[in-house]
Amino acid sequence: MQYDFLHRPRRLRMNSRIRDMIRENHVRLDDLIYPMFVTYEAGAQKSIASMPGCFQWGVDRIGEQCRQIEDLGIPAVILFGIPEEKDERGSQAYSESGVIPRAIEQIKKSCASLVVITDVCLCEYTSHGHCGMLEGESILNDETVELLAREAVVHAQAGCDMVAPSDMMDGRVGIIRQELDDADFAYMPIMSYSVKYSSGYYGPFRDAAESAPAFGDRRSHQMDPPNRMEAMRQAELDIDEGADIIMVKPGLPYLDILRDLRSRFDVPLAVYNVSGEYSQVKAASERGWIDEKRVVMENMTAFKRAGADLILTYHAPDVARWLNEQCEQ
Ligand code: PBG
Ligand code: ZN
């Protein structure tokens, strides 16, 4: 067959330099935030069976570990604490001598410029594993929010650079903003877990952070997976209440939500590539069923293409190494 005229998109795919020139989305070191688990246990490096390559680090070792993260060029970490004692009110979450304030102090001694973000929630600190104070089996919203605001202020006083409430209580961003302002932290940014779905993909994290609920689940506060419009409303409320950065979580199963939020709001947008997403990739690549580097970079690219500015991911050190290798070539 003879064509006078034919569209040939392959013209721009033939040469790798041309492919580089017209590439629309890029994963950068500055996009990455590395989640880390800190335990009160001195000297610890406890592996997490369902998350190969991730560890609970003793609070006395977290500084040196973060130094390595900083040396890779990763700009930020987000910290989760495993306390020595848990109680009904999660007291260790807002104790000035708790594991997170101590970790922040260590990190600030070891790292020159690493951005230290703290997860603000109660589930790692409560004896029942729920994200707030209970009355019977239900979570008391407003009482919980007060405790979360105390937790955020304690983290700020210890010297963190950003707080990230992950609890999904109503009104928590506004109250945290107000309490931070009153405590002289008007410039402490809030990255809100705004659109957090009730997901099976958090399973490995709950092993890692020892935070599985003792009974029931988190459906009374985390979002119902089928809902999309609700995600827009939820993000709008958080922005109104003063969230500086909003987040979608999990990542890969919710790329549509990420794209919707990107089109609708003009605040920086983060995505959490959660534990279960990480474990899947690790398990399949350990068996030789997929090419780990290729799949991870494809996933990271998917987040950027969907509209994320920031990616919280357990793959961050690997991604940083791969990006650094690319630069050296
Ligand atoms: C705590 C919290 C969770 C995650 C981040 N903060 C778990 C949960 O809601 O049970 C999940 C992160 C992951 O799976 O990697 N509220
Ligand atoms: Zn929680």
Side-chain angles (χ1 to χ4, degrees):
M1 205 170 346
Q2 268 277 298
Y3 295 106
D4 292 334
F5 171 78
L6 179 62
H7 292 288
R8 292 189 186 275
R10 291 184 61 206
R11 268 183 214 122
L12 298 181
R13 296 179 196 147
M14 294 289 172
N15 172 314
S16 80
R17 293 315 290 266
I18 296 179
R19 286 199 300 275
D20 290 347
M21 287 164 65
I22 63 155
R23 188 155 296 140
E24 297 174 40
N25 291 286
H26 299 268
V27 180
R28 306 169 313 147
L29 278 172
D30 281 338
D31 301 332
L32 301 172
I33 300 173
Y34 185 44
M36 297 184 83
F37 303 98
V38 195
T39 168
Y40 71 92
E41 274 176 72
Q45 176 183 3
K46 283 167 99 176
S47 51
I48 301 155
S50 52
M51 299 177 71
C54 294
F55 301 91
Q56 286 183 2
W57 292 103
V59 69
D60 54 330
R61 299 187 63 178
I62 193 69
E64 95 204 32
Q65 288 309 311
C66 282
R67 179 63 191 272
Q68 291 178 27
I69 297 303
E70 183 173 48
D71 288 346
L72 285 168
I74 295 170
V77 294
I78 181 165
L79 303 179
F80 298 92
I82 293 106
E84 186 161 11
E85 269 159 38
K86 305 193 184 207
D87 58 28
E88 294 218 319
R89 299 170 54 92
S91 316
Q92 283 300 309
Y94 37 90
S95 156
E96 285 162 22
S97 53
V99 62
I100 294 296
R102 281 159 59 208
I104 297 168
E105 189 189 331
Q106 294 297 318
I107 298 168
K108 290 293 170 186
K109 274 191 215 154
S110 310
C111 303
S113 64
L114 190 70
V115 173
V116 179
I117 307 171
T118 57
D119 185 86
V120 174
C121 198
L122 298 188
C123 50
E124 296 119 77
Y125 305 93
T126 50
S127 43
H128 42 71
H130 283 285
C131 300
M133 263 178 70
L134 296 180
E135 186 174 61
E137 300 215 336
S138 60
I139 300 180
L140 293 167
N141 191 89
D142 299 10
E143 290 77 354
T144 297
V145 168
E146 267 178 49
L147 300 180
L148 294 165
R150 267 167 73 179
E151 183 178 6
V153 170
V154 165
H155 293 174
Q157 283 164 344
C160 73
D161 299 293
M162 192 182 299
V163 293
S166 71
D167 52 284
M168 293 295 281
M169 293 299 119
D170 294 332
R172 90 275 206 214
V173 173
I175 304 287
I176 289 174
R177 181 71 276 156
Q178 196 178 314
E179 294 292 321
L180 284 171
D181 290 0
D182 288 350
D184 251 1
F185 294 104
Y187 283 90
M188 176 64 58
I190 299 176
M191 173 167 71
S192 176
Y193 288 69
S194 302
V195 180
K196 177 172 175 179
Y197 286 93
S198 175
S199 171
Y201 283 93
Y202 306 151
F205 174 94
R206 292 178 189 172
D207 297 338
E210 300 173 13
S211 65
F215 58 86
D217 53 41
R218 305 214 201 287
R219 288 179 215 268
S220 80
H221 47 107
Q222 298 180 351
M223 280 185 49
D224 201 20
N227 295 355
R228 182 172 153 264
M229 287 189 311
E230 188 185 338
M232 304 302 119
R233 282 204 297 280
Q234 187 77 59
E236 195 159 26
L237 290 176
D238 273 12
I239 295 168
D240 264 8
E241 289 178 29
D244 300 287
I245 301 175
I246 58 172
M247 191 201 297
V248 177
K249 172 180 176 201
L252 292 169
Y254 297 90
L255 289 180
D256 56 328
I257 305 297
L258 201 55
R259 169 47 58 188
D260 286 343
L261 291 170
R262 171 75 307 154
S263 328
R264 181 119 157 216
F265 300 106
D266 51 12
V267 297
L269 185 56
V271 63
Y272 202 138
N273 178 220
V274 302
S275 56
E277 300 172 60
Y278 172 85
S279 304
Q280 284 181 329
V281 170
K282 282 292 188 186
S285 60
E286 273 175 11
R287 293 178 185 207
W289 290 350
I290 56 170
D291 175 341
E292 180 172 4
K293 176 177 173 182
R294 191 163 171 192
V295 166
V296 169
M297 291 312 290
E298 193 170 330
N299 288 350
M300 298 301 125
T301 304
F303 294 133
K304 296 296 292 187
R305 196 182 61 238
D309 299 298
L310 299 167
I311 306 168
L312 294 85
T313 181
Y314 304 96
H315 296 290
D318 287 330
V319 172
R321 273 179 221 109
W322 295 326
L323 291 173
N324 291 332
E325 277 165 24
Q326 215 174 40
C327 294
E328 282 154 20
Q329 269 168 20

